[in-house]
Coordinates of all heavy atoms in Angstrom, one line a residue:
M1 N 0.8 -1.2 0.0 CA 0.0 0.0 0.0 C 0.9 1.2 0.0 O 1.8 1.4 0.8 CB -0.9 0.0 1.3 CG -2.0 -0.9 1.2 SD -3.5 -0.2 2.0 CE -2.8 0.3 3.6
S2 N 0.6 2.2 -0.9 CA 1.4 3.4 -0.9 C 0.5 4.6 -1.3 O 1.0 5.7 -1.4 CB 2.5 3.3 -1.9 OG 2.1 3.1 -3.2
G3 N -0.8 4.4 -1.4 CA -1.7 5.5 -1.8 C -1.9 6.5 -0.6 O -1.4 6.2 0.5
P4 N -2.5 7.6 -0.9 CA -2.8 8.6 0.2 C -3.6 7.9 1.3 O -4.5 7.1 1.1 CB -3.7 9.6 -0.5 CG -3.4 9.5 -1.9 CD -3.0 8.0 -2.2
G5 N -3.2 8.2 2.5 CA -3.9 7.7 3.7 C -3.3 6.3 4.2 O -3.8 5.8 5.1
A6 N -2.3 5.9 3.4 CA -1.7 4.6 3.8 C -0.9 4.7 5.1 O -0.6 3.7 5.7 CB -0.9 4.0 2.7
A7 N -0.4 5.9 5.3 CA 0.5 6.1 6.5 C 0.3 7.5 7.0 O 0.1 8.4 6.2 CB 1.9 5.8 6.2
W8 N 0.5 7.7 8.3 CA 0.4 9.0 8.8 C 1.7 9.4 9.5 O 2.5 8.5 10.0 CB -0.7 9.0 9.9 CG -2.1 8.9 9.4 CD1 -2.5 9.0 8.1 CD2 -3.2 8.7 10.2 NE1 -3.8 8.9 8.0 CE2 -4.3 8.7 9.3 CE3 -3.5 8.6 11.5 CZ2 -5.6 8.5 9.7 CZ3 -4.8 8.4 12.0 CH2 -5.9 8.4 11.1
H9 N 2.0 10.7 9.4 CA 3.2 11.2 10.1 C 2.7 12.0 11.3 O 1.8 12.9 11.2 CB 4.0 12.1 9.2 CG 5.2 12.7 9.8 ND1 5.2 14.0 10.3 CD2 6.4 12.2 10.2 CE1 6.3 14.3 10.9 NE2 7.1 13.2 10.8
L10 N 3.2 11.7 12.5 CA 2.9 12.4 13.7 C 3.9 13.4 14.1 O 5.1 13.2 13.9 CB 2.7 11.4 14.8 CG 1.9 10.2 14.5 CD1 1.9 9.2 15.8 CD2 0.5 10.5 14.1
S11 N 3.5 14.6 14.6 CA 4.5 15.5 15.1 C 3.9 16.2 16.3 O 2.7 16.4 16.5 CB 4.9 16.5 14.1 OG 3.8 17.3 13.7
V12 N 4.8 16.6 17.2 CA 4.5 17.4 18.4 C 5.3 18.7 18.4 O 6.5 18.6 18.2 CB 4.8 16.6 19.7 CG1 4.5 17.5 20.9 CG2 3.9 15.4 19.8
D13 N 4.6 19.8 18.5 CA 5.3 21.1 18.6 C 5.9 21.2 20.1 O 5.1 21.4 21.0 CB 4.4 22.2 18.3 CG 5.1 23.6 18.3 OD1 6.1 23.7 19.0 OD2 4.6 24.5 17.7
A14 N 7.2 20.9 20.2 CA 7.7 20.9 21.6 C 7.6 22.2 22.3 O 7.5 22.3 23.5 CB 9.2 20.5 21.5
G15 N 7.5 23.3 21.6 CA 7.4 24.6 22.2 C 6.0 24.9 22.7 O 5.8 25.8 23.5
T16 N 5.1 24.2 22.2 CA 3.7 24.4 22.5 C 3.2 23.4 23.6 O 2.4 23.7 24.5 CB 2.8 24.2 21.3 OG1 3.2 25.2 20.3 CG2 1.3 24.5 21.6
C17 N 3.7 22.2 23.5 CA 3.3 21.1 24.5 C 3.6 21.5 25.9 O 4.6 22.1 26.3 CB 4.2 19.8 24.2 SG 4.0 18.5 25.4
I18 N 2.5 21.3 26.7 CA 2.6 21.6 28.2 C 2.8 20.4 29.0 O 2.7 20.4 30.2 CB 1.4 22.4 28.6 CG1 0.1 21.7 28.4 CG2 1.4 23.8 28.0 CD1 -1.1 22.3 29.0
G19 N 3.0 19.3 28.4 CA 3.3 18.0 29.1 C 2.2 17.5 29.9 O 2.4 16.8 30.9
S20 N 1.0 17.7 29.4 CA -0.2 17.2 30.2 C -0.2 15.6 30.2 O -0.8 15.1 31.1 CB -1.5 17.7 29.5 OG -1.7 17.0 28.3
G21 N 0.4 15.0 29.2 CA 0.4 13.5 29.2 C -0.8 12.9 28.6 O -0.9 11.7 28.5
M22 N -1.7 13.8 28.2 CA -3.0 13.2 27.6 C -2.7 12.3 26.4 O -3.3 11.2 26.3 CB -3.8 14.4 27.1 CG -5.3 14.1 26.9 SD -6.1 14.2 28.4 CE -6.6 15.9 28.4
C23 N -1.9 12.7 25.5 CA -1.6 12.0 24.3 C -1.0 10.6 24.6 O -1.4 9.6 24.1 CB -0.7 12.7 23.3 SG 0.8 13.3 24.1
A24 N 0.0 10.6 25.5 CA 0.6 9.4 25.9 C -0.3 8.4 26.6 O -0.2 7.2 26.5 CB 1.9 9.6 26.8
G25 N -1.3 9.0 27.3 CA -2.3 8.2 28.0 C -3.3 7.6 27.0 O -3.7 6.4 27.1
I26 N -3.6 8.3 25.9 CA -4.6 7.8 24.9 C -3.9 6.9 23.9 O -4.4 5.9 23.5 CB -5.2 9.0 24.2 CG1 -6.0 9.8 25.1 CG2 -5.9 8.6 22.9 CD1 -6.5 11.2 24.5
A27 N -2.7 7.2 23.6 CA -2.0 6.5 22.5 C -0.5 6.2 23.0 O 0.4 6.8 22.4 CB -2.0 7.2 21.2
P28 N -0.3 5.4 23.9 CA 1.0 5.1 24.5 C 2.0 4.5 23.5 O 3.2 4.7 23.6 CB 0.8 4.2 25.7 CG -0.6 3.6 25.4 CD -1.4 4.6 24.7
A29 N 1.4 3.9 22.4 CA 2.3 3.4 21.4 C 2.9 4.4 20.5 O 3.8 4.2 19.7 CB 1.6 2.3 20.6
L30 N 2.2 5.6 20.5 CA 2.5 6.6 19.5 C 3.2 7.8 20.1 O 4.0 8.6 19.4 CB 1.3 7.1 18.8 CG 0.4 6.0 18.2 CD1 -0.8 6.6 17.6 CD2 1.2 5.3 17.1
F31 N 3.0 8.1 21.4 CA 3.5 9.3 22.1 C 4.2 8.9 23.4 O 3.6 8.1 24.1 CB 2.4 10.3 22.3 CG 1.7 10.8 21.1 CD1 0.6 10.2 20.6 CD2 2.3 11.9 20.3 CE1 -0.1 10.7 19.5 CE2 1.6 12.3 19.2 CZ 0.5 11.7 18.7
T32 N 5.3 9.5 23.6 CA 6.1 9.2 24.9 C 6.5 10.5 25.5 O 6.9 11.4 24.8 CB 7.3 8.4 24.6 OG1 7.0 7.3 23.8 CG2 8.0 7.9 25.8
L33 N 6.3 10.7 26.8 CA 6.7 11.9 27.5 C 8.2 11.7 27.8 O 8.6 10.8 28.4 CB 6.0 12.1 28.8 CG 4.6 12.8 28.7 CD1 4.1 13.1 30.1 CD2 4.7 14.0 27.8
V34 N 9.0 12.7 27.3 CA 10.4 12.7 27.6 C 10.7 14.1 28.2 O 10.6 15.1 27.6 CB 11.2 12.5 26.3 CG1 12.7 12.6 26.6 CG2 10.9 11.2 25.6
D35 N 11.2 14.1 29.4 CA 11.5 15.3 30.1 C 10.3 16.3 30.1 O 10.5 17.5 29.8 CB 12.8 16.0 29.6 CG 14.0 15.1 29.8 OD1 14.0 14.3 30.8 OD2 15.0 15.2 29.1
G36 N 9.1 15.8 30.2 CA 8.0 16.7 30.3 C 7.4 17.2 29.0 O 6.6 18.0 29.0
V37 N 8.0 16.6 27.9 CA 7.5 17.0 26.6 C 7.2 15.8 25.8 O 7.9 14.8 25.9 CB 8.5 17.9 25.8 CG1 8.1 18.1 24.4 CG2 8.8 19.2 26.5
S38 N 6.1 15.8 25.1 CA 5.7 14.6 24.3 C 6.5 14.5 23.1 O 6.8 15.5 22.4 CB 4.2 14.7 23.9 OG 3.8 13.6 23.1
V39 N 6.9 13.3 22.8 CA 7.7 13.0 21.6 C 6.8 12.0 20.8 O 6.5 10.9 21.3 CB 9.1 12.4 21.9 CG1 9.8 12.0 20.6 CG2 9.9 13.4 22.7
A40 N 6.6 12.3 19.5 CA 5.8 11.4 18.7 C 6.7 10.4 18.0 O 7.9 10.6 17.8 CB 5.1 12.2 17.6
S41 N 6.1 9.2 17.7 CA 6.8 8.2 16.9 C 7.4 8.9 15.7 O 6.8 9.6 15.0 CB 5.8 7.2 16.5 OG 6.4 6.3 15.6
P42 N 8.7 8.7 15.6 CA 9.4 9.4 14.4 C 9.1 8.8 13.1 O 9.2 9.5 12.1 CB 10.9 9.2 14.8 CG 11.0 8.0 15.7 CD 9.6 7.9 16.4
A43 N 8.7 7.5 13.1 CA 8.5 6.9 11.8 C 7.0 7.0 11.4 O 6.1 7.1 12.3 CB 8.8 5.4 11.9
P44 N 6.6 7.0 10.2 CA 5.2 7.0 9.8 C 4.5 5.8 10.4 O 5.1 4.7 10.6 CB 5.3 6.9 8.3 CG 6.6 7.4 7.9 CD 7.5 7.1 9.0
V45 N 3.3 6.0 10.8 CA 2.5 4.9 11.4 C 1.3 4.6 10.6 O 0.9 5.4 9.8 CB 2.1 5.3 12.9 CG1 3.3 5.7 13.7 CG2 1.1 6.5 12.8
A46 N 0.8 3.4 10.8 CA -0.4 3.0 10.1 C -1.6 3.9 10.7 O -1.5 4.2 11.9 CB -0.7 1.5 10.4
P47 N -2.5 4.3 9.8 CA -3.6 5.1 10.3 C -4.3 4.4 11.6 O -4.5 3.2 11.6 CB -4.6 5.1 9.1 CG -3.7 5.0 7.9 CD -2.6 4.1 8.4
D48 N -4.4 5.3 12.6 CA -4.8 4.7 13.9 C -5.7 5.7 14.6 O -5.4 6.9 14.8 CB -3.5 4.5 14.8 CG -3.8 3.9 16.1 OD1 -5.0 3.9 16.6 OD2 -2.9 3.4 16.7
P49 N -7.0 5.4 14.9 CA -7.9 6.3 15.5 C -7.4 6.9 16.8 O -7.7 8.0 17.1 CB -9.1 5.4 15.8 CG -9.0 4.2 15.0 CD -7.5 4.0 14.6
A50 N -6.5 6.2 17.4 CA -5.9 6.7 18.7 C -5.1 8.0 18.4 O -5.0 8.9 19.3 CB -5.1 5.6 19.4
A51 N -4.5 8.0 17.2 CA -3.7 9.2 16.9 C -4.6 10.4 16.7 O -4.3 11.5 17.2 CB -2.9 9.0 15.6
V52 N -5.8 10.2 16.1 CA -6.7 11.3 16.0 C -7.3 11.7 17.3 O -7.4 12.9 17.6 CB -7.9 10.8 15.0 CG1 -9.0 11.9 15.0 CG2 -7.3 10.6 13.6
D53 N -7.6 10.7 18.2 CA -8.1 11.0 19.5 C -7.1 11.9 20.3 O -7.4 12.8 20.9 CB -8.3 9.7 20.3 CG -9.6 9.0 19.9 OD1 -10.4 9.6 19.1 OD2 -9.9 7.9 20.4
A54 N -5.8 11.5 20.2 CA -4.8 12.2 20.9 C -4.7 13.6 20.4 O -4.6 14.6 21.2 CB -3.4 11.5 20.7
A55 N -4.7 13.8 19.1 CA -4.5 15.1 18.5 C -5.7 16.0 18.9 O -5.6 17.2 19.2 CB -4.4 15.1 17.0
E56 N -6.9 15.4 18.9 CA -8.1 16.2 19.2 C -8.2 16.5 20.7 O -8.8 17.4 21.1 CB -9.4 15.4 18.8 CG -9.5 15.0 17.3 CD -9.9 16.2 16.5 OE1 -10.2 17.3 17.0 OE2 -10.0 16.0 15.3
S57 N -7.5 15.6 21.5 CA -7.6 15.8 23.0 C -6.5 16.7 23.5 O -6.6 17.2 24.7 CB -7.5 14.4 23.7 OG -8.6 13.6 23.2
C58 N -5.5 17.0 22.8 CA -4.4 17.8 23.3 C -5.0 19.2 23.6 O -5.6 19.8 22.8 CB -3.3 17.9 22.2 SG -2.0 19.1 22.8
P59 N -4.8 19.6 24.9 CA -5.4 20.9 25.3 C -4.8 22.1 24.6 O -5.4 23.2 24.6 CB -5.1 20.9 26.8 CG -4.0 20.0 27.0 CD -4.1 18.9 26.0
V60 N -3.6 22.0 24.0 CA -3.0 23.1 23.4 C -2.8 22.9 21.9 O -2.1 23.7 21.2 CB -1.7 23.5 24.1 CG1 -1.9 24.1 25.5 CG2 -0.7 22.3 24.1
E61 N -3.4 21.8 21.4 CA -3.3 21.5 19.9 C -1.8 21.5 19.4 O -1.5 22.1 18.4 CB -4.1 22.4 19.1 CG -5.6 22.3 19.4 CD -6.5 22.9 18.3 OE1 -6.1 23.5 17.4 OE2 -7.8 22.6 18.5
A62 N -1.0 20.8 20.2 CA 0.4 20.7 19.8 C 0.7 19.6 18.9 O 1.8 19.5 18.3 CB 1.3 20.5 21.1
I63 N -0.3 18.7 18.7 CA -0.1 17.5 17.9 C -0.6 17.8 16.5 O -1.7 18.4 16.3 CB -0.8 16.3 18.5 CG1 -0.2 16.0 19.9 CG2 -0.7 15.1 17.6 CD1 -1.0 15.0 20.6
A64 N 0.1 17.3 15.5 CA -0.4 17.3 14.1 C -0.3 15.9 13.6 O 0.8 15.3 13.7 CB 0.4 18.3 13.2
V65 N -1.4 15.4 13.0 CA -1.4 14.1 12.3 C -1.5 14.4 10.8 O -2.5 15.1 10.4 CB -2.5 13.3 12.8 CG1 -2.5 11.9 12.1 CG2 -2.5 13.0 14.3
R66 N -0.6 14.0 10.0 CA -0.6 14.3 8.6 C -0.5 13.1 7.8 O 0.2 12.1 8.2 CB 0.5 15.3 8.2 CG 0.4 16.7 8.9 CD 1.5 17.6 8.4 NE 1.3 18.9 9.0 CZ 0.4 19.9 8.5 NH1 -0.2 19.6 7.4 NH2 0.3 21.0 9.2
D67 N -1.1 13.1 6.6 CA -0.9 12.0 5.7 C 0.6 12.1 5.3 O 1.2 13.1 4.9 CB -1.7 12.3 4.4 CG -1.7 11.1 3.4 OD1 -0.6 10.8 3.0 OD2 -2.8 10.6 3.1
A68 N 1.3 10.9 5.5 CA 2.7 10.9 5.2 C 3.0 11.1 3.7 O 4.1 11.6 3.4 CB 3.3 9.5 5.7
A69 N 2.1 10.8 2.9 CA 2.4 10.9 1.4 C 2.3 12.4 0.9 O 3.1 12.8 0.2 CB 1.4 10.0 0.7
D70 N 1.2 13.1 1.3 CA 1.0 14.4 0.8 C 1.0 15.5 1.8 O 0.8 16.7 1.4 CB -0.3 14.4 -0.1 CG -1.5 14.2 0.7 OD1 -1.5 14.2 1.9 OD2 -2.6 14.0 0.1
G71 N 1.1 15.2 3.1 CA 1.2 16.2 4.1 C -0.2 16.8 4.5 O -0.2 17.7 5.4
H72 N -1.2 16.3 3.9 CA -2.6 16.7 4.3 C -2.8 16.5 5.8 O -2.5 15.5 6.3 CB -3.6 15.9 3.5 CG -5.0 16.0 3.9 ND1 -5.8 17.1 3.5 CD2 -5.8 15.2 4.7 CE1 -7.0 16.9 4.0 NE2 -7.0 15.8 4.7
L73 N -3.4 17.6 6.4 CA -3.7 17.5 7.8 C -4.9 16.6 8.1 O -6.0 16.8 7.6 CB -3.9 18.9 8.4 CG -4.1 19.0 9.9 CD1 -2.8 18.6 10.6 CD2 -4.6 20.4 10.3
V74 N -4.6 15.5 8.9 CA -5.7 14.6 9.2 C -6.4 15.0 10.5 O -7.6 14.9 10.6 CB -5.1 13.2 9.3 CG1 -6.2 12.2 9.8 CG2 -4.5 12.7 8.0
A75 N -5.6 15.4 11.5 CA -6.1 15.9 12.8 C -5.1 16.8 13.4 O -3.9 16.7 13.2 CB -6.4 14.7 13.6
P76 N -5.5 17.7 14.3 CA -6.9 18.0 14.6 C -7.6 18.7 13.5 O -7.0 19.3 12.7 CB -6.8 18.9 15.9 CG -5.5 19.6 15.7 CD -4.6 18.7 15.0
E77 N -9.0 18.6 13.6 CA -9.8 19.4 12.7 C -9.7 20.9 13.0 O -9.6 21.3 14.2 CB -11.2 18.9 12.8 CG -11.4 17.5 12.4 CD -12.8 17.2 12.0 OE1 -13.7 17.9 12.4 OE2 -13.0 16.2 11.3
P78 N -9.6 21.7 12.0 CA -9.5 23.2 12.2 C -10.7 23.7 12.9 O -11.8 23.2 12.8 CB -9.3 23.7 10.8 CG -9.6 22.7 9.8 CD -9.6 21.4 10.6
Ligands
SF4_101 S1 -1.6 16.1 25.0 FE1 -0.6 17.9 24.0 S2 0.2 19.1 25.7 FE2 -0.3 17.1 26.5 S3 1.6 15.9 26.4 FE3 0.5 15.5 24.5 S4 1.3 17.0 23.1 FE4 1.8 17.7 25.1

């Protein structure tokens, strides 16, 4: 599979993250707290509803979930 939507790229804006831990609680396989800041899985991941939940739940919208192929923003919704 290599079409759009086949993989997602996760990112956390370290300057915005307040270390609430919400994302790591929702999607522990995808986000890890390191020194009080969330770090997203560096490799593209298979589309996972937990990633969307985490992005939507982040209180400061520090998380971006993008289509790895074209960069289209998957979550959070604007
Ligand atoms: S939910 Fe948002 S603010 Fe909380 S740790 Fe994750 S990225 Fe940081």
